[in-house]
Amino acid sequence: MSPTDKNPLKTTLCFSITDKVGALEDCLACIKAMEVSLTRIESRPSRTAEWDYDFFVDLNAKDADQVQKVVQGLQKHTADVRVMGADGLPDSVPWFPRKMTDLDTFADKVLAMGEELSSDHPGAHDPVYRKRRAEITAKAKVYRTGQQIPHVDYTPAEIECWGTVYRELTKLYKTHACREHQYVFPLLEQNCGYSDSNIPQLEQVSRFLKDCTGFTIRPVMGLLSPRDFLNALAFRVFHSTQYIRHGSRPLFTPEPDVCHELLGHAPLFADPDFADFCQEIGLASLGASDDDIKRLATIFWFTVEFGLCRQDGEIKAYGAGLLSSFGELEYSLSDKPEKLPFDPAKTSVQQYPVTEFQPTYFIAESFKDAQEKVRDFAAKTDRPFSVRYNAYTQSIEVLDTKDKVVRFAKTIRDDMKTLTTVLETL
């Protein structure tokens, strides 16, 4: 790979320096001498020494040898240097976001759809529809963390399409949807403008979800890679499209659209147990190998997208792919498909079609039970460290040293004191 390639080796390094004059300048001069592109630098109080500092730097190198030279150069000026993540570097943990703002790097990294449509898409040969899609995806491309989600003024034709989908699906929710979806949906109608004559704005729905579980919505141009999409869940962030399917076929879509996102996904993100379950998958994906990402994405497919659960002796749907598809919602609860207990080890290797109804579904006993099973599954993967999400700083903490684990344990101890105090007053 040459320095002019469009796909440089993205790498995160962490190094520690003592508080002395010129220490940081020496490190930056070393990086500059290696002719790599430094894209970000952040400083933090050291986790291991009282008066030292930890620096995190993101850089774009031309190859693995250049990264290694940077590490060797920094070792002359620092107490410790670690490669925290690198895409494509042999024997290295894949790069993953550590701060909420790191998700901004996903803004235009879409695999398919968005403004580009496949030839068999219902709107592929409709220039008006394609232009409209481009207008909406352009807003998602420039969105950055902390901004208000762009408002979309949906047209009468788009609202009519939404209304058709809305009316058909809500006929089935009371008999086919899980109790959590049934409980939240009326709240969305009351607080977020859900109705057959109005397409809710992502900003309003995102604020509602944040109040409920801390989950937020982020607009996206189209389909992200499984790694990027799952990584965002670790921060309780759900990437959502804003465009709607083509009006010629309102009950069909070959891709996620605003109907799928707001009718299928959004209601469940307001449930604490479901939110915890989704974040567990996200945390497991951080720094995971490509093979483990594939397995986690398959688990996500058979749960968050096409999951069934057992409630009061009956089987109900909670997967967004089911709750946003009139035909498959009915089919999934019939006696036609195979239904198996949710077991991450087996679910993660199950083959599945993407253009037709699923021949096999997996049944979760509860969202909490599913979360525990995913946590146990993740503990057996190849990742050499554990992570936790710090809600105060909206960042990921890598638990790879004794000092970090001890600090985490102290946090748990403080929480236990609070719990003990509460129990004593009851």
Side-chain angles (χ1 to χ4, degrees):
M1 182 180 292
S2 69
T4 58
D5 278 335
K6 295 182 179 180
N7 297 307
L9 186 61
K10 186 174 183 180
T11 307
T12 298
L13 301 179
C14 174
F15 57 85
S16 301
I17 63 173
T18 57
D19 184 17
K20 67 178 183 178
V21 177
L24 179 59
E25 285 80 358
D26 291 340
C27 293
L28 295 180
C30 173
I31 295 174
K32 182 179 180 180
M34 300 298 173
E35 297 183 345
V36 298
S37 174
L38 185 64
T39 59
R40 187 188 71 172
I41 180 169
E42 295 181 9
S43 60
R44 296 284 186 274
S46 175
R47 296 280 184 171
T48 58
E50 186 174 0
W51 298 111
D52 288 355
Y53 295 92
D54 290 340
F55 287 86
F56 294 85
V57 296
D58 285 349
L59 52 87
N60 292 329
K62 62 181 180 180
D63 54 33
D65 288 340
Q66 192 176 41
V67 173
Q68 190 59 37
K69 289 179 180 178
V70 172
V71 171
Q72 292 173 350
L74 286 174
Q75 287 174 338
K76 301 175 183 178
H77 307 285
T78 64
D80 178 50
V81 183
R82 285 177 294 155
V83 178
M84 299 295 292
D87 291 334
L89 191 64
D91 301 321
S92 175
V93 172
W95 182 91
F96 60 90
R98 286 170 178 78
K99 291 183 61 181
M100 187 82 78
T101 52
D102 288 344
L103 302 183
D104 291 344
T105 63
F106 302 165
D108 56 358
K109 291 173 57 180
V110 292
L111 298 178
M113 299 303 179
E115 62 183 73
E116 297 298 327
L117 304 181
S118 59
S119 59
D120 59 348
H121 190 285
H125 305 292
D126 183 341
V128 175
Y129 180 77
R130 292 176 64 91
K131 180 181 178 181
R132 175 63 169 165
R133 288 272 294 238
E135 293 172 354
I136 295 176
T137 56
K139 294 182 179 183
K141 185 175 183 178
V142 298
Y143 174 85
R144 294 297 179 266
T145 298
Q147 297 177 349
Q148 183 167 310
I149 299 175
H151 184 93
V152 176
D153 290 317
Y154 292 102
T155 66
E158 290 169 334
I159 295 174
E160 181 181 357
C161 179
W162 162 274
T164 300
V165 177
Y166 192 95
R167 287 186 292 272
E168 289 299 315
L169 287 172
T170 51
K171 292 177 183 177
L172 292 178
Y173 284 163
K174 291 184 178 180
T175 54
H176 290 61
C178 65
R179 71 167 71 97
E180 292 82 358
H181 189 279
Q182 292 186 42
Y183 173 76
V184 172
F185 203 82
L187 298 177
L188 291 169
E189 292 178 322
Q190 296 167 17
N191 295 279
C192 301
Y194 273 57
S195 75
D196 63 355
S197 60
N198 178 65
I199 303 177
Q201 293 296 322
L202 293 193
E203 176 67 23
Q204 192 170 3
V205 179
S206 182
R207 291 184 180 184
F208 175 83
L209 296 180
K210 187 174 183 179
D211 287 343
C212 294
T213 63
F215 248 93
T216 57
I217 294 176
R218 183 186 177 107
V220 67
M221 293 177 64
L223 292 173
L224 290 174
S225 72
R227 181 181 295 278
D228 291 345
F229 182 83
L230 295 181
N231 280 183
L233 295 177
F235 296 83
R236 294 198 171 222
V237 172
F238 173 69
H239 280 87
S240 171
T241 55
Q242 286 182 284
Y243 49 76
I244 195 167
R245 62 195 67 185
H246 194 264
S248 64
R249 300 185 65 183
L251 299 183
F252 167 78
T253 178
E255 56 176 332
D257 73 332
V258 73
C259 297
H260 173 78
E261 318 285 31
L262 294 185
L263 297 176
H265 280 296
L268 269 299
F269 284 122
D271 178 75
D273 288 346
F274 183 82
D276 290 346
F277 168 61
C278 290
Q279 186 178 32
E280 196 69 47
I281 297 177
L283 290 169
S285 75
L286 298 175
S289 67
D290 290 342
D291 287 341
D292 285 335
I293 286 292
K294 183 178 180 180
R295 284 187 277 268
L296 289 168
T298 302
I299 290 173
F300 183 90
W301 178 271
F302 281 112
T303 55
V304 182
E305 289 292 354
F306 292 96
L308 300 177
C309 59
R310 194 183 311 277
Q311 295 182 338
D312 301 325
E314 297 182 314
I315 305 300
K316 299 292 183 179
Y318 72 89
L322 302 177
L323 294 169
S324 61
S325 170
F326 181 83
E328 189 158 6
L329 182 54
E330 284 193 310
Y331 165 82
S332 67
L333 298 185
S334 71
D335 58 1
K336 296 178 182 179
E338 180 183 30
K339 299 183 181 70
L340 302 174
F342 174 61
D343 177 354
K346 296 179 180 178
T347 303
S348 64
V349 295
Q350 177 71 37
Q351 298 297 311
Y352 58 87
V354 296
T355 58
E356 58 189 58
F357 291 171
Q358 302 301 305
T360 303
Y361 298 95
F362 290 88
I363 302 173
E365 294 301 318
S366 69
F367 298 144
K368 272 302 178 187
D369 180 69
Q371 179 189 1
E372 290 299 324
K373 288 179 177 177
V374 167
R375 181 177 296 164
D376 291 342
F377 175 81
K380 300 174 184 177
T381 61
D382 296 331
R383 189 176 63 180
F385 55 81
S386 296
V387 297
R388 69 180 288 262
Y389 176 64
N390 187 324
Y392 297 114
T393 60
Q394 294 185 316
S395 63
I396 297 298
E397 295 180 357
V398 179
L399 303 176
D400 59 350
T401 67
K402 178 181 177 181
D403 297 282
K404 292 179 181 179
V405 174
V406 169
R407 188 180 183 88
F408 180 35
K410 289 180 179 178
T411 301
I412 297 175
R413 183 185 63 188
D414 292 340
D415 288 341
M416 288 300 297
K417 288 181 178 178
T418 301
L419 177 61
T420 302
T421 301
V422 172
L423 291 174
E424 290 175 346
T425 61
L426 293 178

